[in-house]
Amino acid sequence: MSRSLFDETPLPDAPPERLAPGALLLRGFALGEAQALVQAAEQVMARAPPRHLVTPGGRTMSVGMTNCGVLGWVSSRTGYRYDRNDPLSGRPWPRMPDCFAELALRAAAQAGFAGFRPDACLINRYAPGTRLSLHQDRDEGDLSAPIVSVSLGLPAVFLFGGAQRHDRPARWHLAHGDVAVWGGASRLAFHGIAPLADGDHPSLGRQRINLTFRRAG
Ligand code: MD6
Ligand code: FE
């Protein structure tokens, strides 16, 4: 099959890109199953709708968030925590779809983290203009496990900083089907998402969905 000069789809055996020690970008790793992942995410979101959480400081987050798996990440005026129940419904979060857990396990292994069994999947939904300010993911019980992050829908600019909030972040382009795996020396790096540019994605329309898998318990 010939390849257009303008085709940005990664070659199937493209080597991982290194964002930093312990942080790898597997371009297109989830492309083949992206449609199944989108469908499964939509089923989770039908049962546990994305909501705009309030930070301990009293700001409302512009990203819509929900979870699946045994544990879900939530923020409120009282702080950040993992909870077994969805505070909106009072019921357990939807179970993690098998296609989610299998993809996270394979991506982590590809990046050198064998045996990754996530118990939490945070689902972030971005509309055009939405951003996620620089933060660390440090509420998880097992910081030796990596985080696996799957991008679906509109492309985004991932801001990847250092161990200090004021370290100037690098900018990485994340597209539909890209998977980032990070752990080890990068596990507590500051990171965020720049305001999402508007666009119309063939399968997701005017939005970006991000799945981040963690070992929280
Ligand atoms: C996002 N991701 O891509 C937000 N955190 O929408 C994250 O905050 C993130 O991608 C830890 C590890 C990987 C990530
Ligand atoms: Fe994060």
Side-chain angles (χ1 to χ4, degrees):
M1 196 170 53
S2 71
R3 189 173 161 88
S4 153
L5 267 180
F6 306 104
D7 188 352
E8 290 187 60
T9 311
L11 296 165
D13 49 1
E17 286 173 53
R18 190 171 296 275
L19 278 61
L24 294 173
L25 181 50
L26 310 175
R27 291 214 188 264
F29 189 86
L31 261 186
E33 57 222 281
Q35 216 46 48
L37 296 172
V38 168
Q39 267 190 23
E42 281 168 352
Q43 284 169 14
V44 169
M45 292 188 290
R47 295 191 41 214
R51 74 291 310 257
H52 298 276
L53 298 171
V54 177
T55 66
R59 290 184 311 108
T60 298
M61 300 181 74
S62 65
V63 178
M65 294 184 174
T66 187
N67 295 276
C68 61
V70 173
L71 291 168
W73 186 85
V74 286
S75 173
S76 72
R77 285 308 301 243
T78 60
Y80 306 126
R81 70 182 189 280
Y82 278 93
D83 202 310
R84 301 180 82 86
N85 295 321
D86 177 349
L88 272 189
S89 67
R91 294 197 313 262
W93 297 102
R95 73 180 292 274
M96 192 182 298
D98 291 338
C99 64
F100 279 23
E102 284 161 17
L103 176 76
L105 176 68
R106 273 193 292 116
Q110 175 87 3
F113 299 94
F116 179 52
R117 300 279 174 196
D119 56 7
C121 173
L122 173 65
I123 301 179
N124 292 149
R125 187 170 70 180
Y126 297 75
T130 302
R131 62 194 290 268
L132 187 62
S133 54
L134 284 182
H135 66 278
Q136 292 172 298
D137 289 25
R138 51 187 290 172
D139 304 313
E140 296 72 31
D142 184 356
L143 294 177
S144 71
I147 293 184
V148 171
S149 166
V150 181
S151 292
L152 299 166
L154 289 179
V157 173
F158 190 53
L159 307 171
F160 184 89
Q164 310 292 326
R165 187 180 292 279
H166 60 253
D167 291 338
R168 179 194 288 271
R171 297 165 67 88
W172 294 86
H173 194 80
L174 295 182
H176 182 67
D178 288 352
V179 179
V181 180
W182 86 22
S186 289
R187 184 60 183 73
L188 291 176
F190 277 90
H191 59 279
I193 294 285
L196 195 77
D198 201 356
D200 189 6
H201 188 269
S203 56
L204 273 161
R206 298 180 67 202
Q207 59 178 335
R208 169 176 185 262
I209 303 277
N210 169 258
L211 315 173
T212 55
F213 297 92
R214 300 101 189 280
R215 187 78 207 171

